[in-house]
Amino acid sequence: MANKYREVAVSEFFEKNKHLLGFDNPTKALLTVVKEAVDNGLDATEEAGILPDIYVRVKNIRNDIYELTMEDNGPGIEKKYVKEVFGRLLYGSKFKSLGEEGIQSRGQQGIGISASILYGQLTTGEPAKIESKVKNKVHYSCDLHIDTSKNVPVIENEKNLETAKEQGTKIVIKLKGSYRKSKGVEDYIKYTSVTNPHAHIVYVDPENKKHTYKRVTQKLPKLPKSIAPHPHGTELGTLIKMLSRTKSKTLYNFFRNDFSKVGDTVARDILFSFQVRKAGLKQTMKPTEVTKQQAESLLTAMQTAKLQRPPTECLSPIGEENLIKGLSKEYKADFVTACTRSVSVYRAIPFQVEVGLLYSSELPEEQSIDLIRYANKVPMMYQQSECAIHKAVVGTQWRRYGLNQPKGSLPIGPAILTVHIASVWVPFISEGKQAIASYPEIVKEMKLALSDVGRRLYRYVSAQRKKYAEEKRIKIFTKYGVEVATALSELTNENEEKINSWITKIIDKQRL
Amino acid sequence: MNEREKLVKELEDYFGKKVLDDFKNERNPSIELIMRTLGNAYYNEKKRLIMLGNKKEKRTFLSLGQAKKFMQTLLIASQLKKNLQEDQPAIGTRQLFYLLKHNIEGTNENTFDEQRKETDPVVEDIEVTLDTLREKLGLFAVPDGYLVGSMKVYDRKTDDTLDYTKMGLGGGAIPALVEDEYYHIKEIGAKFILVVEKYQVWQLLNQEKFWKNNNCLLMTGKGQSARAPRRLLARLNREFKLPVYVFTDLDPWGYYIHSVYKQGSINLAYFSEKAGVPDAKFLGLTTKDIEKYDIPKKNWIKLNHLDYKRIKELRKYPWFKKKEWQDELKRLEEFKYKVESDSLVAKKIDFTAKNYLPDKIEKKDFLS
């Protein structure tokens, strides 16, 4: 039962859901493949406590066929797990519904590397090439494709390589794509490096140009923790799924073991509530025997039960220091600031908002600011105007903070704004995972963070303006001072140089 | 020390030494100037002149709004000083403007861009503040006036003797500088001066030898008079005791032109003492003349809203407060028409010269 629920006929599913999976057009498809590969590399290294060294290359093989190479310095994958990790679509922790056991991970962002392999295979007919090296084991390589009729990964051409490499994984995928410079792969990698200043990333673009994004901190981000769902944030579908899959033998144990913040009292409160008893449920019942109707009454009881807020120590924010470091390593900063809010909760799901702001005279002054949106440290490249982040930025009164802002638009000015939301379960508006739903709690937190950096920006900008006005004053006095000296010299027969030095002195005194 | 040397010293002291002291002592350099605004002009009842008060304003260097004007003031002061010292020929303010206009080093800005808005006001500031006239500072205002009649003048600069009975149809142009040191009046046969507002009226009277037949000087300032004709009029009135009669259109603008000859103007209030003729008489046209001389209605023009507005303004000026003027202004308002002095020809071409003017003068029928 469980297995059937989880695994769908792969190619069929893929064809039907191409647009949801991020393969709706060649440009987006190439970006999605790069994204999946880079996220995998970052996750693999971080989880192993290793500072990431990521190498990415996009090569134009012919016409619209591209080849992506991604190599990381992670722990590598044991030969026997390669099939599982790269070949099974919808395998593992990637597909989740609201309220299920969760962990803040990049993986939430996409369907997984296997979909990219399948896309490459469907558009070029070529398998993916995988190399992996686990410490003290052989350097192993193979070709991997998916047998779409049986939905199983097939490995061919296995080899052991002579190597000096200690550890890491490399994947090469050929695919049909289209490369664009702005808001494409290059920006994606640059944006990724901004929020991952602990990573060293090298990117070689189709013109064979090497872009190096340096590591500016040696500190790995704190690893996010997995948390059990909180009863208040659980939906009916999730509850039914959980009931069917639990290892707990009784309903009482199910509540105690499979949820967070549920102790003996809470579990009894739920199970002895009027609705639950009326539905004929007992605490000793097997969870798998609960019917849909009974689950509904359980859910009602769960949602009215008095509970502590969900645990908040599970998230891994970028942190103000790293936001600042990340931004200022990629852009020349005249002023840079950041704000990490404390953890907040929407629908019983913990989330955390962070904002970074960089102001630079080298950026265009008359254009909208550059807004870079992140969910769990991954940049979102599409659907900006539908995103809660965009809504929060547009809904902030930037004029108060010294930037122009046309009504209903992003502010104008030489600035870059990064907004990050970290959550166990990020509420994307669709499976495309490019925009965040506008829950009032989330928008509110974002606005608070934005006003916070806004106020700091204002202090900077007004100090700058004051300085500029002062410079302007002095420039004007200096300019006319030259003529004044000439005239005064004529009127007094005093030496012009001398007069000039007095004038300079008095103008200098004008500096504040 | 002659007058020129005295002025050079004043320019040096006031715009040079004082400012230099400010710089040396690290004070914000400033020049104190007498204000030339309406707020500082007043009517002196005793002298019957519009005069300038003593209100002063500071022009400072270290102020964004004034820095450029401060610079321009010093540039003009130093140029005037130089010209006086070198005894250069008098120049007009347009020429002064070109002498000083140049690019400010290292910028794309000029010292001066507009003569009327930048050069002229500073010249006036200096005149007022040093209590002198531009004519003495080696400058002249562009004159626009003509004169004929029995008068002989010796021009000291050109060494010419001018006989104003022999000036032909064009008459003698009034020069820019009419002070005695340039323009020495040697002989006067005329008994009074008739000032005519309109050049065409003056021209007709000249052709008819009105000045000869009535033994007078016939002068025009061509509308609102420039400085030189007013100054000359004042000299003739004061030094040769010649009565002055003014002949203008019948409208508030004509009344005002008369008042400027008589009491001076707000703009050039500091010039009134030099150029005002408080005893000048207004010959016409007056409202009463229209009926008295039977000026045909076809030549009347309806007063417009600007005329009415101007009448209201005139009634408020202190120098129009005399009963005869208040009555005249009221009559004009009620009459609802204006009449140009040119229109008298409609009765007969020589009506003005043969009938109207001699009759008015003989009967002393004027407003004062």
Side-chain angles (χ1 to χ4, degrees):
Chain A
M1 183 73 188
N3 281 348
K4 229 180 205 171
Y5 187 91
R6 292 184 115 186
E7 288 171 18
V8 202
V10 172
S11 47
E12 197 187 321
F13 177 90
F14 194 89
E15 277 304 323
K16 275 187 188 158
N17 295 287
K18 245 180 169 174
H19 59 292
L20 295 180
L21 304 173
F23 297 100
D24 23 346
N25 63 58
T27 313
K28 216 169 158 184
L30 177 58
L31 179 62
T32 300
V33 172
V34 170
K35 195 172 114 140
E36 291 296 346
V38 171
D39 293 352
N40 260 23
L42 287 170
D43 274 341
T45 45
E46 279 172 30
E47 277 163 26
I50 298 164
L51 285 167
D53 269 321
I54 308 284
Y55 172 86
V56 184
R57 195 184 69 197
V58 174
K59 212 168 142 183
N60 193 196
I61 303 286
R62 59 177 186 275
N63 302 328
D64 56 353
I65 305 300
Y66 287 83
E67 180 191 79
L68 161 85
T69 306
M70 192 291 292
E71 206 173 339
D72 65 42
N73 62 334
I77 296 154
E78 299 270 3
K79 194 171 164 179
K80 59 183 173 190
Y81 295 126
V82 166
K83 259 192 194 179
E84 300 285 307
V85 171
F86 292 104
R88 279 278 193 80
L89 204 58
L90 316 188
Y91 183 86
S93 61
K94 304 264 173 178
F95 256 106
K96 283 190 179 287
S97 6
L98 178 63
E100 254 187 292
E101 174 181 281
I103 183 164
Q104 173 196 334
S105 77
R106 295 188 179 84
Q108 282 190 25
Q109 301 300 109
I111 184 171
I113 191 73
S114 45
S116 299
I117 293 172
L118 181 58
Y119 174 81
Q121 177 186 323
L122 292 174
T123 53
T124 67
E126 297 213 31
K129 290 191 186 307
I130 290 154
E131 281 179 28
S132 198
K133 171 80 173 73
V134 177
K135 231 181 214 171
N136 305 323
K137 301 227 167 136
V138 291
H139 194 164
Y140 159 89
S141 101
C142 69
D143 291 354
L144 185 146
H145 74 269
I146 287 151
D147 179 340
T148 48
S149 60
K150 293 185 192 140
N151 183 22
V152 286
V154 180
I155 283 184
E156 284 173 331
N157 203 14
E158 288 181 273
K159 274 182 211 154
N160 287 339
L161 304 173
E162 296 264 329
T163 189
K165 194 172 176 163
E166 199 175 319
Q167 62 177 39
T169 303
K170 177 176 170 183
I171 178 160
V172 181
I173 300 172
K174 287 198 179 92
L175 68 143
K176 188 174 156 184
S178 159
Y179 190 85
R180 78 168 179 201
K181 272 204 159 148
S182 136
K183 296 279 166 193
V185 174
E186 195 179 320
D187 277 344
Y188 178 81
I189 290 175
K190 184 172 182 174
Y191 294 168
T192 299
S193 92
V194 165
T195 43
N196 293 278
H198 62 287
H200 178 88
I201 306 176
V202 172
Y203 166 56
V204 181
D205 70 18
E207 286 165 10
N208 211 22
K209 206 176 132 196
K210 190 171 153 186
H211 307 256
T212 304
Y213 302 94
K214 280 184 193 150
R215 175 180 295 126
V216 289
T217 174
Q218 302 298 320
K219 249 191 286 173
L220 270 166
K222 164 184 121 179
L223 273 184
K225 281 186 201 134
S226 174
I227 59 160
H230 187 272
H232 283 178
T234 310
E235 286 178 336
L236 186 61
T238 313
L239 180 62
I240 292 171
K241 213 194 281 182
M242 287 171 72
L243 285 165
S244 70
R245 282 188 209 160
T246 183
K247 284 176 188 143
S248 305
K249 297 276 187 279
T250 68
L251 269 184
Y252 175 82
N253 283 338
F254 171 68
F255 277 105
R256 289 293 307 269
N257 299 338
D258 291 20
F259 288 94
S260 63
K261 300 292 173 189
V262 177
D264 177 63
T265 321
V266 178
R268 280 168 195 280
D269 276 356
I270 293 169
L271 289 168
F272 289 117
S273 70
F274 174 70
Q275 308 97 305
V276 172
R277 278 183 296 151
K278 203 180 149 206
L281 289 167
K282 290 195 179 97
Q283 57 169 319
T284 49
M285 257 176 86
K286 270 195 184 164
T288 42
E289 284 164 6
V290 175
T291 67
K292 192 181 167 229
Q293 261 179 335
Q294 287 173 323
E296 271 174 43
S297 36
L298 264 182
L299 194 71
T300 319
M302 278 160 64
Q303 269 154 5
T304 48
K306 277 191 186 157
L307 285 171
Q308 284 181 331
R309 279 156 61 100
T312 53
E313 70 282 3
C314 51
L315 297 178
S316 164
I318 299 161
E320 291 175 1
E321 194 191 326
N322 279 351
L323 276 167
I324 289 171
K325 274 188 186 162
L327 268 172
S328 30
K329 87 187 169 85
E330 291 312 319
Y331 305 91
K332 193 196 160 284
D334 290 332
F335 172 75
V336 59
T337 186
C339 168
T340 297
R341 299 279 307 164
S342 51
V343 177
S344 192
V345 169
Y346 81 95
R347 295 196 58 178
I349 297 162
F351 73 97
Q352 193 165 11
V353 168
E354 299 179 279
V355 170
L357 183 144
L358 178 137
Y359 190 90
S360 166
S361 55
E362 287 182 1
L363 293 168
E365 192 144 339
E366 304 296 332
Q367 287 174 24
S368 291
I369 57 147
D370 252 339
L371 174 62
I372 314 177
R373 299 169 297 128
Y374 296 91
N376 288 345
K377 302 181 189 172
V378 175
M380 292 180 277
M381 307 296 285
Y382 290 93
Q383 287 179 287
Q384 171 162 288
S385 61
E386 291 155 62
C387 184
I389 292 176
H390 185 261
K391 202 177 252 180
V393 174
V394 166
T396 299
Q397 303 283 317
W398 291 98
R399 277 169 197 276
R400 268 192 224 161
Y401 306 133
L403 293 180
N404 268 332
Q405 186 181 24
K407 219 178 164 198
S409 306
L410 292 176
I412 303 222
I416 292 171
L417 195 59
T418 53
V419 181
H420 176 224
I421 175 171
S423 181
V424 167
W425 199 88
V426 178
F428 294 106
I429 58 169
S430 74
E431 286 301 317
K433 309 203 173 185
Q434 292 295 332
I436 291 158
S438 301
Y439 282 94
E441 297 90 341
I442 292 176
V443 174
K444 187 183 152 202
E445 275 297 307
M446 286 174 177
K447 280 190 175 174
L448 286 171
L450 289 166
S451 337
D452 191 61
V453 296
R455 278 189 293 273
R456 283 180 243 168
L457 172 70
Y458 179 70
R459 279 197 289 275
Y460 171 78
V461 169
S462 46
Q464 279 306 105
R465 283 191 187 148
K466 225 167 146 187
K467 219 170 118 192
Y468 177 75
E470 185 193 306
E471 287 300 319
K472 207 175 140 196
R473 261 172 75 88
I474 285 172
K475 238 171 120 181
I476 286 172
F477 297 148
T478 310
K479 165 173 81 179
Y480 297 145
V482 179
E483 296 289 333
V484 167
T486 313
L488 263 184
S489 172
E490 170 69 38
L491 282 162
T492 59
N493 296 319
E494 180 65 82
N495 176 283
E496 195 174 326
E497 284 307 305
K498 240 181 186 172
I499 299 177
N500 256 322
S501 71
W502 287 320
I503 293 180
T504 310
K505 205 167 162 198
I506 205 169
I507 292 172
D508 271 343
K509 266 179 70 182
Q510 289 288 299
R511 290 182 202 277
L512 303 170
Chain B
M1 200 186 276
N2 67 22
E3 207 175 351
R4 204 180 70 212
E5 289 163 349
K6 220 183 103 207
L7 268 173
V8 167
K9 190 166 184 310
E10 279 180 16
L11 283 166
E12 286 174 346
D13 287 349
Y14 211 81
F15 300 96
K17 260 191 207 138
K18 213 194 128 289
V19 174
L20 192 67
D21 274 353
D22 285 339
F23 275 116
K24 280 185 187 167
N25 295 311
E26 296 183 23
R27 284 189 299 260
N28 185 358
S30 68
I31 309 164
E32 217 169 42
L33 300 164
I34 291 177
M35 286 168 69
R36 292 186 294 103
T37 53
L38 180 60
N40 198 26
Y42 71 102
Y43 181 60
N44 185 320
E45 303 259 358
K46 213 173 138 200
K47 292 184 172 167
R48 292 178 296 153
L49 291 171
I50 299 165
M51 291 179 61
L52 204 61
N54 281 319
K55 286 183 195 163
K56 287 179 180 169
E57 61 180 338
K58 267 192 175 173
R59 184 165 299 161
T60 58
F61 176 53
L62 296 175
S63 130
L64 280 187
Q66 296 183 327
K68 187 166 191 182
K69 223 168 174 188
F70 182 92
M71 169 199 78
Q72 290 171 334
T73 309
L74 290 198
L75 283 174
I76 289 178
S78 75
Q79 185 66 49
L80 293 177
K81 178 225 158 187
K82 199 165 167 243
N83 290 1
L84 285 176
Q85 261 181 340
E86 294 170 1
D87 201 13
Q88 299 282 358
I91 54 172
T93 53
R94 189 78 190 154
Q95 286 139 352
L96 178 67
F97 165 72
Y98 278 117
L99 262 176
L100 292 170
K101 181 185 178 212
H102 63 257
N103 180 260
I104 299 173
E105 201 187 306
T107 70
N108 47 15
E109 194 179 332
N110 288 327
T111 47
F112 291 87
D113 285 311
E114 284 185 75
Q115 175 218 332
R116 278 168 191 283
K117 283 189 183 163
E118 296 176 326
T119 316
D120 291 1
V122 171
V123 167
E124 281 164 21
D125 285 337
I126 295 176
E127 284 182 271
V128 173
T129 305
L130 297 186
D131 192 22
T132 184
L133 291 177
R134 65 183 58 188
E135 288 75 7
K136 309 213 158 157
L137 289 165
L139 296 172
F140 60 78
V142 179
D144 203 357
Y146 298 91
L147 186 76
V148 279
S150 173
M151 176 170 83
K152 277 189 183 144
V153 172
Y154 173 64
D155 188 322
R156 293 190 208 269
K157 281 252 159 174
T158 58
D159 210 15
D160 294 328
T161 300
L162 313 168
D163 181 349
Y164 282 88
T165 60
K166 292 176 176 150
M167 290 293 175
L169 282 185
I174 298 167
L177 303 169
V178 294
E179 298 303 320
D180 188 61
E181 55 197 286
Y182 308 101
Y183 193 79
H184 176 62
I185 301 166
K186 277 169 60 181
E187 233 182 273
I188 290 218
K191 296 294 176 221
F192 66 93
I193 312 164
L194 180 68
V195 183
V196 179
E197 175 192 355
K198 300 289 236 342
Y199 178 75
Q200 291 191 16
V201 176
W202 179 88
Q203 180 59 246
L204 185 59
L205 291 171
N206 185 21
Q207 287 182 58
E208 291 165 330
K209 299 272 183 202
F210 179 86
W211 51 272
K212 200 170 189 179
N213 301 334
N214 294 273
N215 195 21
C216 69
L217 293 175
L218 189 61
M219 186 175 144
T220 181
K222 289 177 87 180
Q224 186 67 263
S225 176
R227 295 159 57 110
R230 286 177 55 200
R231 173 64 184 148
L232 179 59
L233 194 66
R235 278 194 65 198
L236 291 167
N237 174 257
R238 291 174 201 182
E239 294 169 29
F240 299 92
K241 309 286 177 234
L242 297 185
V244 171
Y245 302 117
V246 182
F247 176 40
T248 74
D249 289 344
L250 172 61
D251 60 26
W253 319 96
Y255 295 159
Y256 190 74
I257 284 168
H258 161 71
S259 84
V260 170
Y261 282 117
K262 193 175 166 78
Q263 288 103 354
S265 68
I266 300 166
N267 280 345
L268 296 177
Y270 63 96
F271 190 53
S272 306
E273 271 195 294
K274 298 269 182 193
V277 183
D279 285 326
K281 309 291 184 207
F282 183 67
L283 212 56
L285 292 172
T286 66
T287 45
K288 283 179 178 168
D289 290 343
I290 306 307
E291 197 185 331
K292 224 183 275 175
Y293 296 96
D294 193 25
I295 314 295
K297 193 171 180 182
K298 61 172 179 146
N299 291 338
W300 304 356
I301 302 167
K302 271 211 145 95
L303 290 172
N304 62 34
H305 73 282
L306 286 173
D307 299 324
Y308 284 113
K309 195 179 153 227
R310 191 66 183 139
I311 292 171
K312 282 210 177 67
E313 283 168 4
L314 293 193
R315 290 174 83 161
K316 282 185 200 144
Y317 288 141
W319 51 98
F320 276 97
K321 284 290 180 199
K322 261 193 191 166
K323 188 167 182 304
E324 54 179 332
W325 274 110
Q326 289 289 320
D327 290 349
E328 174 69 7
L329 287 163
K330 201 175 160 213
R331 277 196 299 272
L332 180 63
E333 214 170 18
E334 287 164 358
F335 180 52
K336 297 190 174 73
Y337 289 91
K338 51 188 172 183
V339 183
E340 286 192 89
S341 45
D342 309 75
S343 74
L344 299 191
V345 294
K347 283 187 74 82
K348 215 173 155 226
I349 296 236
D350 60 3
F351 177 76
T352 314
K354 293 273 167 63
N355 305 84
Y356 176 76
L357 290 171
D359 192 48
K360 291 280 288 190
I361 292 166
E362 195 196 311
K363 289 181 180 156
K364 294 190 188 290
D365 181 14
F366 41 65
L367 297 167
S368 59

